[in-house]
Amino acid sequence: MSSYLIRSAALADGTPTDILVRDGVIAELGSGLDASGTVTIDADGLIALPGLVDLHTHLREPGFEQSETVLSGSMAAAAGGFTVVHAMANTSPVADTAGVVEQVQALGEAAGYVTVRPVGAVTVGLGGVQLAELGAMASSRAAVRVFSDDGKCVWDALIMRRALEYVKAFDGVIAQHAQEPRLTEDAQMNEGTLSGELGLAGWPAVAEEAIIARDVLLAEHVGSRVHICHLSTAGSVDVVRWAKARGIAVTAEVTPHHLLLDEQLVSNYDAKFKVNPPLRRVEDVQALREGLADGTIDIVATDHAPHPLEAKECEWNSAAFGMVGLESALSVVQEAVVDAGHLGWSDVARVLSQKPAEIGRLAGYRHGIVAGAPANLTLYDPQAERDFGVGQLQGRSINSPYLGRRLPGRVVSTIHNGYATVLDGELVDADTVAGHGVLHG
Ligand SMILES: [Zn+2]
């Protein structure tokens, strides 16, 4: 196996250190470590973060390989500093059986850039009517712990109740895409003054907040845990804050784009800003930042949603919802909440690594960067700036809302399971990385 000596990095709390990586684990931390037999990585001026963990990624394979594959999405993830992604179930076929989740897991292992953890569908075919084989997926080789119909809401309260009850047996979690379907029929953007001016059908905040309120109460009633995907409104933050104060086992995520972008960007009808849930008001963006800072929102998750060009370069009403986000996530988090003073780098390590790993019941990320832990690391240069263009994108689709924008920070190196996947800002080639995706620890 490869050995690396990372010289003069700063841990998230600012502590300077060398990091010795050997046999897939962090062998030693300290100063002046022996470099013999290792590849030396100069990390002066870089922050060493624990490998980033995304709880919400659309890899599109099987079925939509023109948008993304497990390999291309894994490369995008590594380029963004991620070492784990949770692959959403809205593929074709839907990941609603042990066979499909094992297939996705195997593709991830073959690619090797990141650990791919399949998310299982809650209902058969995402149909919302019949529970999928949750137990079979949990006991499969993929050991699924996160279940979601993401893209669709589990709208039927009885199905949601049964799903929450079922996953208790294996400590699973239901990740809800909170969107009341009747209130959002044909909805195109946030409902408010601007949607009226633009003549686009409104997507009311209450459609999200009402489902979250229902589901935290259901989770409390059956004594299970629920995770809320991509919070986008101030009211959603209030509901989750109330539920946590009451002791309900709820966790919540926010996307980088909802932390930075607001509905004004929709004004020119550019569909690269069309996303589900929609970009909201400036007041909502502010509430999301505050909710993340005070722990109401547990994690940042990308909701990386690749779409081919023709699905986005068309008139607003017929364009697809979604944005790619893996390669830009850390920079957007830096701009929206670190440079803006809401979070420190230790908080970033928590919301982008430790906590998402904990929600996904993933071993090896609990303690961050300590001796003996699996070597999953991200070296990040917060002083760098980059003009974000298609050259920054490693996935198969380019529907990023940040193209042409200047973003702070740059991922310099990523180490996954003891192997470099990114060195000096360049992806290590696929043949070298292949086969390193098996989970350690
Ligand atoms: Zn969603």
Side-chain angles (χ1 to χ4, degrees), residues 56 58 88 150-152 176-178 229-230 253 276-277 303:
H56 192 145
H58 296 278
M88 278 297 172
D150 184 66
K152 291 189 174 165
Q176 174 69 294
H177 170 114
C229 297
H230 41 54
E253 78 190 28
N276 177 349
D303 194 7

Side-chain angles (χ1 to χ4, degrees), residues 191-408:
E191 181 180 293
T193 313
L194 187 60
S195 64
E197 286 168 18
L198 296 176
L200 294 174
W203 186 308
V206 67
E208 176 173 308
E209 294 152 6
I211 292 291
I212 298 173
R214 181 199 78 177
D215 287 352
V216 295
L217 290 170
L218 280 173
E220 177 181 51
H221 184 63
V222 304
S224 188
R225 63 187 180 114
V226 66
H227 175 76
I228 310 298
C229 297
H230 41 54
L231 257 64
S232 71
T233 77
S236 293
V237 179
D238 285 340
V239 174
V240 171
R241 191 177 282 124
W242 173 86
K244 287 191 165 184
R246 202 174 152 95
I248 296 171
V250 57
T251 53
E253 78 190 28
V254 62
T255 69
H257 48 271
H258 287 107
L259 287 170
L260 187 66
L261 309 178
D262 68 70
E263 64 173 4
Q264 289 298 333
L265 291 162
V266 175
S267 299
N268 61 0
Y269 302 95
D270 182 345
K272 75 181 178 201
F273 299 111
K274 183 172 178 179
V275 68
N276 177 349
L279 300 180
R280 303 286 190 180
R281 305 166 305 162
V282 174
E283 304 92 288
D284 295 301
V285 173
Q286 191 58 28
L288 293 166
R289 292 178 178 188
E290 286 164 9
L292 186 65
D294 72 16
T296 302
I297 298 173
D298 300 85
I299 67 168
V300 173
T302 69
D303 194 7
H304 177 82
H307 289 291
L309 220 46
E310 61 270 23
K312 292 299 261 184
E313 289 193 338
C314 51
E315 64 141 346
W316 181 277
N317 278 311
S318 48
F321 291 95
M323 304 167 165
V324 295
L326 287 166
E327 300 96 329
S328 53
L330 200 44
S331 289
V332 174
V333 166
Q334 180 182 346
E335 178 169 341
V337 289
V338 179
D339 292 349
H342 297 278
L343 259 61
W345 289 107
S346 296
D347 302 312
V348 172
R350 173 170 48 81
V351 302
L352 269 166
S353 181
Q354 280 137 323
K355 198 69 187 176
E358 185 186 318
I359 294 168
R361 296 299 189 250
L362 187 77
Y365 285 81
R366 188 185 189 116
H367 300 292
I369 300 175
V370 294
N376 294 299
L377 295 163
T378 303
L379 299 178
Y380 184 70
D381 181 358
Q383 307 298 338
E385 284 197 6
R386 52 183 176 158
D387 293 315
F388 202 83
V390 290
Q392 311 279 318
L393 298 172
Q394 300 292 342
R396 209 168 257 197
S397 298
I398 59 163
N399 53 308
S400 167
Y402 309 111
L403 295 179
R405 193 170 172 131
R406 196 150 177 84
L407 289 177

